[in-house]
Amino acid sequence: MSRKAPSVEDELFEGKFAYSFSPDELIDIFNTDREKGLPSEEAVNRLEKYGENELPKVKTSFWKIYIAPISNWLINIYLIAALAIFLIALSLGPQDVGAVLPLVVPWFVVIGANVVVAVVQQFRGQKKLEALQQLMADDIPALRDGKQITVMTRDLVPGDVILLRQGERVPADCLIIDSADLALDESSLTGESVPVEKNVAPEGLDGELSIQETTNMVFLGSYVAQGTAKVIVIFTGIRTVIGELSRELEEITTGEIPIRKKVNVLAKYLGTAVGILLAISVSFRILSLFVFPPPGVQAKGGMIEWVDLAPVLINGLTVALAIMPINIVLLVTIVLITGVLAMAKEKVIIRDLSAVETLGRVSVVCSDKTGTMTENKMTVKRIWDGDGNLYGITGSGLNIEGVIFKIEDRATVDLPRDASLQKPVGSFPKSLEFLLINSLLNNDAKISDGKLIGTPTEGAIKILFHKSKLQESEILKNYNMIAEFPFDSNVKRMSKMFNGTHTDIVFCKGASEVILPRCSQISRENNEEKFTEQEKEKILAHINEFAQIGFRVLSLAHKSIKELPNDMKESRHEIESNMTFDGFVCIVDPPRPGVYEAIKETQSAGIQVTMITGDSPVTASSIARELNIIEEGSDQMSVEGYQVKSLTDEGFFKTRVFARVSPEDKQVIVARYQKRDKVVAMTGDGVNDALALSLSDAGIAMGIAGTDVAKQASDIIITDDSFTSIRTGIREGRNLFQKIRMMCYFYVCINLMEAAILFGMSFIPNFFGFLTFQLQWLYVSAHTFPGFALVFDKSTSNIMQEKPRDTQEIIDRKLFKIMVFHAALMAIGVAFIYIITFTGIYPVFPGNNVGLVSTEWPLAQQKARTMAIVTIVFVESFMVLAIRRINMSIIQSNKGEDFSLRTYIFIGMVIFGTVGLIYTPIVQLAVIHIGIVFEFMWLTWLDWVLIIIACLPSVVGIELYKWTKRSKGITF
């Protein structure tokens, strides 16, 4: 991230970059002293001016928390309608209030449940910035009034001079004024796995630089990997690099989750349509009171009062509510929650319910390399010794378990697939033994309880020694250190000198281009030989071969010294000359086990995997090729972050690796994918990933290596940091999205069918097609349990063979067509059976009078109602079997892996519940006393035959429709 002086300090910096100044210039600008620091009084004044060195806490509006959840079309429709029914009944008297309570209570319960869920979701936004607070160290050594004191980091101000030591966290953005062997771990900021060397820039730095290139500054959130430094504080709190990130995060709202947004849009259209039909229906009913007055109105001389209008309004609103998919909001939430629970078992933690659905539609996975695709553990994977032998080393990171074994000359990052079966080297050649002893003695890294103090490179080399199984205690007993030359970035090497058993000896390691010219001999198995220029060139070619595929190569050498010089410091050049070359080691941050297979399976599902990293293009491209992110022989590209904005669309969409990226680059990458309607998942673990995680459609943080900032900014956390879990999440997400689509299909389809029937009946004057509680029974049974059958259905077996849906709507054009056709077939069946029974074409049999509950209505109408309700229950239940695997036939989808006993249990509950209610008149009689009237008639076997016949069009017809589409290769 390029860092320009903020406006509050324009007068000081004159619009220049902070790193462009020399230490002396900044000391003058901030009116401080490199040896004495700031006066305490001035520090207090500046604290008042600039504020505490803390990141601001997110503030959330009370109204946003409590009002936003109910600003939803579907919720509002039910809330208004339920309140209207209650108020209308209230206006009629207490007896009517009691009658409508069973109608409105269910609406209020569902509304309340959805509001609670929505409120909980709003609070998650507050957590994103809390983790940033943890990046602030508690206290730091600083110079005040000419004394070294301990200052709380929140009290640091611009101009403070502070001291940094190995292992400490940097508390602010600072310029280096003095340093010794300084290297910073900036992986949480940049994604770069190798510590960055930092030093004083006496004249400042020129140009617009990224964090990685700003070698004269240290930044809040990074760690001192090695060395010490004296720095001057430039930016604190919100003005730091991380402060800018926190401000941008604060501006990002969590927004409405995509699936609910789509359901809300769907509800808006349905609500509008039902509202129009309701207005027309009620208007017609009221008009019919004047044109075709019922007996009650006629008795009053045609005078229409409120008591006559109120039942019409209540009946109209009840019908409207009955055909609206009130269950859909709650069931969508249940689907998402069941997905969360299932994913948790697979080590995928969902922080935001919307991420379940979004993950199922992902078409691009933008993954950070370090710590996600690789282990973020520098590991020695190759050794080349003086005899020309190449060795492979198993194991990774700080785990000392592993073996050293000979391999063929394979210049690849990955070891052979059978590496774990290789036999370790029994006895080491002399050159390899010297190299291993060098890796122990010439090393400042310390490893304790699995934790590293020092640089990852030094740690990797020390772990190499432990894998050799040489006895550390015996070696330390034979070698006593007498002098050392620390690593210096100018000479690119380090050495330590020891009293050996027979002679003094110096061990040296460093950059190969520096070590090779300083060697005049080379170790062989039993002696040392002259190191010729031709042989040096040959070895250098090997080194370059490994470097070009992403390895970091260090060469090691030793030298026996017969007589120690008087002045060690002045004799460094002489001591480190004419050495014996022992070999070189190849270090890499290796791919995680199983990542190759996981990426391959993800790609087979039609999902593009893109690597985004702060590492060099060479290292990133090497890993990408090993993982098949860049396919061999393809024109896929690897580019650097600064090129992202200038890439053409063609070049951008061919790119599979983005290296040396800044946080702004990541945002541009995500935005360019989203501009093409791609659904983007961003994986990451560092602070630098937080904003991109928030901006992506599905932000995925790593649970083990991930920083708290990344976790709080993400939607999903992978607890084992494995791509296998990401693949599992995608598979589960796809299944859940398909469930939600089919659930919406189910409810919209049955509501279309019922709307056609019920609103059609409302245009018949003084005609009541169904009783209120018959419709309520439909709501309780056929509108609920079949929906549960879809919610709790098992996963589709071939879901990962489908291509991503990108930003496709829940109900697209193809699905809408089959849904309307399905609704029409069901409506025809229900209308057919109602009409022929009501008109007497199909008669009332003597057997229908068994257990008759009421004679208030004509028997033909009672039978018509009963048979129509049963037909609706059947066609809606059979619909579940037809659409649960909509791209399969009903036979295929209900056998083998796709058979689900739970589906039949839920459908059975609806069917047997309805049949049980019909054939138990005593139950119907019992509930009449509390105002619930069903009036279902007893049905004969012939009635059931006719019901089955009425159901056939919707079953057979829809299967034929699906078959014709499958034969043309069309899927829904």
Side-chain angles (χ1 to χ4, degrees), residues 749-761:
C749 188
I750 65 175
N751 294 147
L752 285 174
M753 179 267 290
E754 291 172 7
I757 298 295
L758 297 178
F759 279 116
M761 289 179 174

Side-chain angles (χ1 to χ4, degrees), residues 773 917 921-935:
F773 283 99
L917 189 60
I922 190 172
V923 174
Q924 296 188 54
L925 285 170
V927 295
I928 285 178
H929 299 296
I930 57 173
I932 298 177
V933 180
F934 289 117
E935 291 196 359

